[in-house]
Amino acid sequence: MRKIDELLMVAEKIQLNERRAISASELSNETGMDRTTVSRYLNQLTREGLMRKLDGRPVLFEVLNAGQVSEATRTNSSKEPIRGTDKKDLDLIIGAYDTLQVAVQQAKAAILYPPRGLHTLILGETGVGKSMFAELMYRFSLDSGVVGTNAPFVKFNCADYAENPQLLVAQIFGVKKGAYTGAEKDKEGLLKKADGGILFLDEVHRLSPQGQEMLFTFIDKGHFRRLGDSELLLEAEVQIIAATTEDPGSFLLKTFTRRIPMSITLPPLRERTLCERYELIKTFIREESKRVSKAIYVNRSALVSMLLYDCPNNI
């Protein structure tokens, strides 16, 4: 019997005997499968219409038509397992089992670490996919039931406000009316908007020392104040994922980096394998072809040149 079928039958048995839904952690304990595998199976069964995900914390799952699926499961147990095709899954990212294997394992650990994951810093050169990787971590948190199905993912590039440190802080923490010229009303910050989910801060090294101090205070205490407000404390439950192209030791306060327990480094494209680069090129061409609704053809010689560019050791 396939593992996914075994999991479905265990969930159904518990639901029928105890008349309740079940969490991924419980199924992991009952089946002996690791939590990541259980979460993947649960979400696959949900997509197939055999189970339903219930909102709440922890996220619970229930078998649809319990009492009727066991026979069908046994009948179909010899069939090949259905392969996931969701390109947003961390396990399906190009290089997940090669040059990005460690990064993917770290990302999963950061999301699954109880009770609400680890704040994470993603390091890498421009263009290596830090923003995409952060989004995949968010998707994994949804699929794993760590956050609710409606949990927000808020993206913000600190470089957009790098020339105005005060306004940058105001964007993240919010602002109280009258805090500075032009602040005509109270404004909610990104931390509050990301409550219950993930806040992704790209180019975090652009954040001023004052902003970094405010952020690590929030990480420590779980509450913060809007810019210009010395009284009202606001609370939010947010996992921070930050990214930078710079050396953290040169631009980030030590007091800030010490509060980010997980650091993930994404390798530059020149260090990816030839196979990975070939798959990346295929993916980019396919997506661009779809975007412009035109067929795109690439000369074989040009493709070889692109693959071997700046990589003489792999020739």
Side-chain angles (χ1 to χ4, degrees), residues 49 65 111 118 156 160 186 206 239 274:
N65 301 316
I111 293 298
L118 299 174
F156 180 69
D160 292 342
D186 293 344
R206 301 282 194 165
Q239 182 177 5
L274 288 177

Side-chain angles (χ1 to χ4, degrees), residues 72-308:
T73 298
R74 295 189 187 95
T75 302
N76 295 317
S77 62
S78 61
K79 294 182 179 179
E80 286 295 316
I82 299 175
R83 301 290 183 184
T85 57
D86 191 342
K87 294 180 181 178
K88 293 186 178 180
D89 193 292
L90 272 171
D91 290 323
L92 296 179
I93 188 174
I94 295 172
Y97 298 98
D98 202 327
T99 58
L100 293 183
Q101 184 173 13
V102 172
V104 168
Q105 291 173 346
Q106 288 178 307
K108 290 181 178 180
I111 293 298
L112 297 176
Y113 194 88
R116 277 283 286 111
L118 299 174
H119 301 297
T120 302
L121 180 63
I122 302 177
L123 308 173
E125 298 178 1
T126 300
V128 298
K130 297 185 293 297
S131 297
M132 181 195 69
F133 198 81
E135 291 188 34
L136 294 180
M137 290 178 66
Y138 165 68
R139 180 57 181 266
F140 181 75
S141 71
L142 289 175
D143 291 346
S144 302
V146 174
V147 297
T149 54
N150 296 319
F153 178 71
V154 178
K155 296 172 60 177
F156 180 69
N157 193 326
C158 298
D160 292 342
Y161 294 86
E163 301 303 319
N164 192 330
Q166 188 180 53
L167 189 55
L168 174 53
V169 170
Q171 290 292 321
I172 296 174
F173 296 94
V175 61
K176 182 178 175 61
K177 178 181 178 181
Y180 55 81
T181 302
E184 300 178 351
K185 61 180 180 179
D186 293 344
K187 181 179 179 181
E188 186 180 66
L190 298 177
L191 274 176
K192 200 61 181 175
K193 291 180 180 179
D195 191 12
I198 290 176
L199 173 60
F200 173 58
L201 297 175
D202 201 5
E203 302 293 343
V204 71
H205 61 275
R206 301 282 194 165
L207 192 59
S208 67
Q210 177 200 11
Q212 293 180 43
E213 289 176 357
M214 293 175 67
L215 194 57
F216 73 63
T217 298
F218 165 71
I219 291 173
D220 276 351
K221 307 295 185 181
H223 55 69
F224 61 97
R225 287 187 173 91
R226 293 173 299 184
L227 185 65
D229 195 338
S230 60
E231 298 180 359
L232 181 63
L233 281 176
L234 301 175
E235 295 185 352
E237 189 175 272
V238 178
Q239 182 177 5
I240 303 293
I241 299 178
T244 179
T245 56
E246 305 295 334
D247 176 9
S250 300
F251 292 88
L252 299 177
L253 299 175
K254 290 183 179 179
T255 47
F256 175 71
T257 55
R258 280 202 299 264
R259 286 163 173 80
I260 307 292
M262 179 63 76
S263 179
I264 300 174
T265 300
L266 300 183
L269 294 178
R270 62 180 174 274
E271 294 180 8
R272 305 288 292 271
T273 66
L274 288 177
C275 288
E276 288 175 15
R277 271 180 278 173
Y278 176 68
E279 291 300 321
L280 286 169
I281 291 172
K282 281 205 310 182
T283 299
F284 297 152
I285 293 174
R286 187 182 303 116
E287 291 179 353
E288 183 66 11
S289 176
K290 183 177 180 181
R291 188 183 71 85
V292 301
S293 299
K294 299 287 184 180
I296 298 177
Y297 300 93
V298 179
N299 180 277
R300 185 182 297 274
S301 298
L303 181 59
V304 171
S305 297
M306 285 190 286
L307 286 172
L308 299 181

Side-chain angles (χ1 to χ4, degrees), residues 12-71:
E12 181 191 37
K13 181 178 179 182
I14 292 174
Q15 185 170 319
L16 290 174
N17 291 342
E18 302 181 23
R19 297 187 178 280
R20 63 180 179 86
I22 190 168
S23 68
S25 296
E26 289 180 283
L27 279 171
S28 177
N29 293 332
E30 291 289 335
T31 61
M33 303 179 197
D34 67 83
R35 166 107 184 235
T36 301
T37 300
V38 168
S39 296
R40 186 171 70 251
Y41 285 161
L42 285 172
N43 284 286
Q44 180 178 326
L45 291 167
T46 299
R47 289 193 296 269
E48 293 174 10
L50 296 174
M51 298 191 76
R52 177 169 58 192
K53 184 187 294 186
L54 307 178
D55 289 335
R57 296 181 183 173
V59 175
L60 300 178
F61 293 81
E62 66 177 9
V63 180
L64 298 177
N65 301 316
Q68 302 177 30
V69 301
S70 294
E71 186 60 36

